[in-house]
Amino acid sequence: MKRAMGWAAFWALAATFYIQYFGREGADVFRIALPLLAVAFATELTIGGVLLPRYLLRGHRTEFLVYTCYTVVLSFWLVLGLVVGEFMVAGYRIDAMSPAALDRTGLLMGVYVVVAVALCIRLIGHWDGLQAELAGSQRAAKPLEIQVDRRTVRLAPERIAWLESAGDYVLVNTDDGQHMTKARLGQLAARLEDAGFLRVHRSFVVRRDAVDVVSATELQIRGTTIPVSRTYREAVREALGS
């Protein structure tokens, strides 16, 4: 609720700026200031509300840059479209055009400065969210207790690389070696889910940070190839950016 109110206040302030700076005449408010505000709002919403969380925050930097360039180019042409529209309204006479429409540099700067400020605010919000998520994950990363040869072994999740199902047993591969415990892979996966582990196959669960190489059909951890099944392929792509 507070975030929504904050965004409403920001865009209200932006609207005031556009009306004061570009609405130099009464008609300019509706012909230039408000349409320009709409272009800035749509540009920021596309980049910050869609492309940023869908691509950049998931590690798809190339896609983010490409689609952001498309969005900026489209917004550029929309701004020029406002100038052309004003030229047509003025009867195709430059001397009869509004001074605000002739200030093409000011129009473009007015859009992209507002968009840049809004994106910075979004990034700060995402950063705070990521920090809170990381802190929550660290609090939830309790040692994994397993039974090995009638002994209870406690393993720190950050030292576990991957788990592999072997019939009624699970092989837990760690920095210190391999441990075999009688358990179900799904049960151990559920206990490790909040510690950054991901199921990639009916027989494999991996720690995301331990993955060295990612492809559509397999992963590599410390030289070991782990298959990615079709069932989990989309989840792996979203989590690891393949």
Side-chain angles (χ1 to χ4, degrees):
M1 184 63 179
K2 290 182 178 180
R3 179 175 295 183
M5 293 178 62
W7 278 115
F10 172 82
W11 286 109
L13 183 63
T16 302
F17 163 72
Y18 281 121
I19 291 173
Q20 290 294 325
Y21 188 81
F22 297 105
R24 299 169 187 175
E25 299 177 7
D28 290 347
V29 172
F30 299 99
R31 292 207 305 258
I32 298 175
L34 294 184
L36 201 65
L37 176 67
V39 173
F41 179 79
T43 302
E44 192 284 324
L45 184 64
T46 302
I47 298 175
V50 178
L51 302 181
L52 182 66
R54 180 175 296 180
Y55 296 107
L56 185 61
L57 296 183
R58 294 184 179 181
H60 308 307
R61 291 183 290 273
T62 301
E63 292 89 341
F64 174 77
L65 289 175
V66 170
Y67 291 128
T68 297
C69 288
Y70 288 158
T71 303
V72 171
V73 169
L74 178 60
S75 64
F76 175 82
W77 284 107
L78 287 175
V79 173
L80 291 186
L82 291 177
V83 177
V84 173
E86 178 64 17
F87 180 60
M88 295 172 63
V89 171
Y92 302 98
R93 293 175 52 200
I94 294 179
D95 60 335
M97 291 175 62
S98 166
L102 293 174
D103 186 10
R104 291 185 292 274
T105 301
L107 292 174
L108 293 172
M109 290 291 293
V111 170
Y112 296 122
V113 168
V114 170
V115 170
V117 172
L119 288 176
C120 289
I121 295 173
R122 279 193 186 271
L123 283 172
I124 292 172
H126 284 298
W127 174 256
D128 291 341
L130 290 173
Q131 290 294 96
E133 182 179 345
L134 178 60
S137 297
Q138 292 176 341
R139 289 194 298 269
K142 299 178 181 178
L144 177 68
E145 294 186 355
I146 59 175
Q147 296 296 317
V148 179
D149 296 331
R150 299 182 181 180
R151 296 180 296 112
T152 299
V153 178
R154 304 177 77 220
L155 302 173
E158 63 270 17
R159 300 188 66 81
I160 300 173
W162 78 92
L163 299 85
E164 178 180 353
S165 177
D168 293 333
Y169 292 84
V170 174
L171 302 177
V172 183
N173 295 272
T174 71
D175 296 341
D176 305 317
Q178 190 179 78
H179 304 275
M180 177 179 287
T181 182
K182 189 171 184 178
R184 294 288 185 182
L185 183 62
Q187 296 174 342
L188 298 184
R191 290 160 60 185
L192 290 169
E193 184 177 2
D194 291 334
F197 284 74
L198 176 69
R199 189 147 192 179
V200 300
H201 189 278
R202 64 188 301 271
S203 300
F204 291 92
V205 172
V206 304
R207 195 180 87 241
R208 299 179 190 181
D209 294 343
V211 176
D212 299 316
V213 180
V214 184
S215 73
T217 58
E218 63 184 27
L219 310 174
Q220 284 190 13
I221 301 179
R222 301 172 187 173
T224 300
T225 300
I226 296 175
V228 177
S229 67
R230 187 184 303 272
T231 302
Y232 300 98
R233 193 167 297 170
E234 181 63 22
V236 172
R237 186 190 70 80
E238 292 183 0
L240 300 181
S242 174

